[in-house]
Amino acid sequence: MDSSVENNVKTVRRSKEEKKVLRKQLKASHTLLKHEGISTAAQPTKSLVVANGGLGNGVSREGLSAALKEMGEVETLVMPPHKPYAFVTYRQSISSQQQLVLYLQEKETSVPLPEGLALVEDFVSPEEEAVLLSAIDWSSTNDDITAQKALKHRRVKHYGFEFRYDNNNVDKDKPLPAGLPDECLPVLERCVSNGHISMMPDQLTVNQYESGQGIPPHVDTHSAFEDTILSLSLGAKTVMDFCHPDGRVIAVVLPGRSLLLMKGESRYLWTHGITPRKFDMVPACDPPSPAGSRPDLGTQSGLTLSKRGTRTSFTFRKIRHEPCRCAFPSACDSQGAPSTPSLSLPPSPPTLPCCRADAARLEEEYVHRVYDAIASHFSNTRHSPWPHVCHFLTSLPPRSVLADVGCGNGKYLGVNPDVIAVGCDRSSALIQICAERGFHAFVSDALSVPLRTASCDACISIAVVHHFSTQERRLAAVRELVRLLKPGGRALIYVWAFEQEYNKQKSKYLKENNKEHHGNHIPSKNTSEDSQEPHGKSSIQISSHLEDSCRPHDSMTDVSRVTDGKLSVHTNRTAFNTQDLLVPWHLKEGKKRGDEESGDRFEPSGSRLDTSDSSPAPVFHRYYHVFQQGELEQLCAQVNGVKVQSSYHDQGNWCVILQKDGL
């Protein structure tokens, strides 16, 4: 071949490669500007972006650092939480067509610990740690002396007194034969001499967590134990989440051999729990933080992935023999509040809220805290996307921007790979599951989504609006969806229907009840929208004349009355008799059926369930407002600048497709 022709061919080939790189750069530049507010530069600088490597897609800081060092001396490496990209700054400018050049400004913050919470690192030596771990004999499978149990997500032993998971309390008149292990005494004496506690504990719970295991958010029962609670972490590090009733969440890294002290507000008011997962996001190094504060894992850039190993916790408490008189009566069972949100029946069912503050408190206790507690089990029942939601998503043009508001475990974020999908949810535990699955999602309230106005081509809100406890807040949720839409953009909304029988056909939710009774099974404890999800084909009723199908608002008021102002507890898989109610969720996982049309359901109680946890399944209650026919359309009609394109009933759900004016 003539050398000039060969050179021209090479030039063409280089041109194609350059165009391919340029397209990638433009795409990454647009994403960064839109979602991070970061502008890019045309000329090489010291700061570059790694467009396909970050914490959000499983790349560790150590692995990425090793690769980046081959290009030059690294000055800083920024890996935003849950993002599939990272930023690197070199000592000198780097010129590379495979990297996108940008200017970077990041600010790391710290957050104050909950009041009364303290963490003492390296409280015990490695030698003391080994002695303590060897003092616990896990070989016995049924140890009455230490009330050893193999729970669903951990192993547990009790010393001094047994903690009863059926009533979340202790039997103070029945101490266990064995007291606290002698090996613990030097550690406890040091706690007394250092002023961490004023009296010696007499109860010890030892939990052993394997990788991927955790414990739901909870507050240790007030009436069972005195104020200060000590928790000694041995073995692998983990992250414990502390949640305030107002929605604040603080993630605290618990290194091995550290001592956590909970007293006052942190002990009585904040829930604490460990999200089940195999990896945690932790600081790559321990940056200096002011006393009483920790790095904010939600905003800090110097993070890496930490693979969980086996962790054993020693939790020391002092049995309480008098009623609790703490300063937090709203959370104190001695002063009338329920000891836990997981009782089979709420001792004092809440009333319908009469103001915005009451509504926020109701939703915090009976929606937000519940979903954080049941996140892992809830996600396990969310595998199959609903057919008509999938149809809506696949109808979107390529490169459309989609926002899933209330995305749960993110099962709809990957339905259409040709759209740019981002999700948000109020539950940090569910967002963590999204991140582990490689989806773009962030924690946000559906009433205030931190996305730009008119930035989305489409929005979906599946089984979310019915969790808002007032008409005003439900309307605000719809308005927020419309705000996000571009002119001409569409939104799909699903809410649970009061009418579970429609056009003389019962929803799958009711049909499953009949099927289980006819088969002599106990009704499934897998409740709410997981059991009403459509499977396979379902009939769909489209209403093009909405005014004909809407009932006057006055006709809806009779059914929504609540006796004595108290919310009733719904009996699962039965017809509704009120619009505002509490729906139980039984936190009991079993083996999935092989029936393909039951992909989201678990075995009924008493039928092939895993019984490794001998304690009764805890029950959580979620607030719902179930919608009557026409009510959702009337709600949307109050929002300016949008019209209802279609509405339909889909297996026990009322659904609408909205379109924003402008095209």
Side-chain angles (χ1 to χ4, degrees):
M1 179 182 294
D2 185 84
S3 59
S4 62
V5 174
E6 184 177 358
N7 290 335
N8 288 336
V9 171
K10 289 183 179 179
T11 301
V12 172
R13 287 177 179 171
R14 284 197 301 270
S15 177
K16 288 182 178 179
E17 292 173 357
E18 289 172 356
K19 288 180 179 179
K20 183 178 179 180
V21 171
L22 181 59
R23 285 196 298 268
K24 289 183 177 180
Q25 289 182 341
L26 290 175
K27 178 181 176 182
S29 177
H30 175 75
T31 300
L32 291 172
L33 181 61
K34 187 168 187 176
H35 297 289
E36 299 287 351
I38 295 175
S39 299
T40 59
Q43 301 300 320
T45 70
K46 296 190 298 181
S47 298
L48 312 176
V49 61
V50 182
N52 61 346
L55 297 174
N57 55 3
V59 177
S60 70
R61 172 173 290 270
E62 293 74 17
L64 184 58
S65 295
L68 294 174
K69 287 178 181 177
E70 297 180 3
M71 296 177 58
E73 185 179 357
V74 175
E75 188 174 79
T76 60
L77 175 60
V78 178
M79 301 184 73
H82 311 307
K83 302 295 185 181
Y85 46 76
F87 307 107
V88 58
T89 300
Y90 287 92
R91 295 285 184 186
Q92 297 179 348
S93 296
I94 301 293
S95 177
S96 172
Q97 290 182 328
Q98 302 303 318
Q99 302 292 330
L100 176 64
V101 180
L102 57 95
Y103 294 107
L104 175 65
Q105 290 185 342
E106 287 286 331
K107 182 178 180 181
E108 297 181 358
T109 60
S110 61
V111 293
L113 290 175
E115 184 176 345
L117 188 71
L119 181 68
V120 183
E121 299 188 21
D122 298 318
F123 187 75
V124 296
S125 66
E127 294 74 20
E128 289 176 310
E129 178 183 42
V131 170
L132 290 168
L133 290 174
S134 63
I136 308 302
D137 179 15
W138 296 104
S139 61
S140 174
T141 57
N142 187 15
D143 186 356
D144 293 333
I145 296 178
T146 60
Q148 178 171 326
K149 296 181 184 298
L151 302 182
K152 182 69 179 178
H153 294 292
R154 64 192 188 280
R155 291 196 297 181
V156 63
K157 276 181 177 285
H158 300 286
Y159 295 84
F161 294 84
E162 178 184 3
F163 184 81
R164 298 277 303 277
Y165 295 102
D166 55 349
N167 61 9
N168 293 291
N169 216 311
V170 292
D171 193 337
K172 302 172 184 178
D173 298 325
K174 294 182 179 180
L176 293 171
L180 274 59
D182 293 338
E183 292 82 353
C184 297
L185 294 181
V187 174
L188 295 177
E189 289 172 353
R190 191 184 315 152
C191 290
V192 174
S193 62
N194 291 350
H196 298 321
I197 53 176
S198 58
M199 46 189 170
M200 291 290 283
D202 54 9
Q203 196 275 337
L204 166 64
T205 298
V206 180
N207 286 293
Q208 187 179 79
Y209 303 88
E210 300 294 340
S211 177
Q213 296 183 332
I215 187 171
H218 64 283
V219 175
D220 286 39
T221 310
H222 290 205
S223 63
F225 307 110
E226 294 286 353
D227 188 359
T228 305
I229 294 175
L230 307 175
S231 182
L232 187 64
S233 294
L234 304 178
K237 74 170 63 172
T238 194
V239 172
M240 179 173 285
D241 294 319
F242 284 81
C243 303
H244 191 276
D246 64 9
R248 283 177 289 159
V249 178
I250 298 177
V252 179
V253 179
L254 304 181
R257 299 187 290 108
S258 65
L259 179 69
L260 186 71
L261 299 94
M262 291 182 285
K263 62 176 63 176
E265 182 177 306
S266 67
R267 179 265 187 270
Y268 288 126
L269 189 61
W270 292 66
T271 65
H272 59 280
I274 299 173
T275 302
R277 55 184 175 233
K278 294 184 180 295
F279 290 88
D280 286 314
M281 285 191 303
V282 300
C285 58
D286 294 328
S289 298
S293 68
R294 303 295 291 174
D296 184 356
L297 300 187
T299 61
Q300 192 188 15
S301 58
L303 300 176
T304 188
L305 295 178
S306 172
K307 182 176 176 58
R308 285 190 185 175
T310 300
R311 172 181 175 267
T312 303
S313 67
F314 282 54
T315 302
F316 299 96
R317 310 176 181 94
K318 176 67 176 177
I319 297 296
R320 184 188 294 276
H321 295 283
E322 300 292 335
C324 178
R325 299 294 182 225
C326 69
F328 309 95
S330 63
C332 182
D333 60 310
S334 290
Q335 302 179 61
S339 60
T340 172
S342 59
L343 298 173
S344 58
L345 285 176
S348 179
T351 59
L352 273 176
C354 58
C355 64
R356 184 177 302 177
D358 286 346
R361 281 192 291 267
L362 174 67
E363 293 160 18
E364 171 63 31
E365 181 170 358
Y366 289 96
V367 181
H368 305 157
R369 290 175 61 184
V370 173
Y371 277 104
D372 271 333
I374 68 174
S376 178
H377 183 201
F378 178 82
S379 179
N380 288 337
T381 68
R382 296 305 189 276
H383 298 290
S384 304
W386 299 3
H388 296 296
V389 180
C390 290
H391 180 268
F392 177 85
L393 295 175
T394 55
S395 70
L396 299 175
R399 306 301 299 163
S400 295
V401 177
L402 167 71
D404 184 349
V405 179
C407 62
N409 69 349
K411 72 176 182 179
Y412 292 114
L413 294 177
V415 168
N416 186 348
D418 295 328
V419 304
I420 302 171
V422 62
C424 64
D425 199 281
R426 183 62 175 73
S427 168
S428 59
L430 287 172
I431 291 300
Q432 178 64 37
I433 294 173
C434 289
E436 292 169 355
R437 298 175 66 182
F439 296 130
H440 299 288
F442 54 88
V443 177
S444 172
D445 194 298
L447 299 182
S448 181
V449 181
L451 294 177
R452 294 178 182 174
T453 297
S455 61
C456 301
D457 298 288
C459 296
I460 60 174
S461 172
I462 311 301
V464 176
V465 177
H466 54 213
H467 285 309
F468 289 103
S469 55
T470 66
Q471 174 85 353
E472 176 189 20
R473 292 168 71 81
R474 293 188 285 271
L475 179 60
V478 176
R479 282 184 172 141
E480 184 68 357
L481 290 172
V482 174
R483 181 189 69 82
L484 297 176
L485 290 176
K486 297 177 181 177
R490 295 185 300 156
L492 174 64
I493 303 174
Y494 266 60
V495 294
W496 209 356
F498 179 82
E499 298 83 359
Q500 289 296 303
E501 184 172 351
Y502 185 71
N503 280 356
K504 299 182 180 179
Q505 290 187 352
K506 291 184 178 180
S507 69
K508 191 174 182 66
Y509 178 70
L510 294 183
K511 285 181 179 179
E512 287 296 334
N513 188 25
N514 294 337
K515 188 182 300 183
E516 287 159 0
H517 280 301
H518 293 161
N520 294 322
H521 290 303
I522 299 174
S524 171
K525 292 183 178 180
N526 205 40
T527 63
S528 187
E529 60 266 277
D530 61 309
S531 50
Q532 71 189 58
E533 294 188 5
H535 300 280
K537 296 181 179 179
S538 64
S539 60
I540 182 168
Q541 304 294 329
I542 301 291
S543 173
S544 58
H545 301 286
L546 298 176
E547 61 275 9
D548 295 336
S549 62
C550 294
R551 301 180 184 180
H553 184 71
D554 291 342
S555 67
M556 301 176 188
T557 56
D558 291 340
V559 76
S560 62
R561 290 174 182 162
V562 181
T563 305
D564 298 328
K566 299 287 187 180
L567 293 174
S568 62
V569 177
H570 176 61
T571 301
N572 292 327
R573 301 192 177 281
T574 63
F576 296 114
N577 56 19
T578 181
Q579 283 189 269
D580 297 278
L581 39 80
L582 300 178
V583 177
W585 177 284
H586 295 245
L587 193 66
K588 187 71 171 181
E589 294 187 52
K591 298 178 181 179
K592 288 193 298 182
R593 295 176 177 175
D595 182 1
E596 293 181 357
E597 296 217 340
S598 302
D600 281 3
R601 301 192 63 250
F602 277 41
E603 278 289 337
S605 176
S607 175
R608 293 190 296 160
L609 273 176
D610 183 348
T611 57
S612 59
D613 187 346
S614 58
S615 61
V619 183
F620 294 81
H621 293 86
R622 296 167 295 165
Y623 167 81
Y624 279 84
H625 172 85
V626 290
F627 280 66
Q628 285 189 279
Q629 181 175 3
E631 184 179 355
L632 181 57
E633 292 91 335
Q634 289 184 4
L635 186 72
C636 296
Q638 299 179 57
V639 181
N640 295 327
V642 69
K643 62 183 178 182
V644 178
Q645 192 177 66
S646 63
S647 68
Y648 56 93
H649 186 273
D650 190 3
Q651 286 292 346
N653 298 274
W654 286 116
C655 324
V656 298
I657 297 178
L658 306 178
Q659 185 168 35
K660 191 170 183 177
D661 296 343
L663 289 182

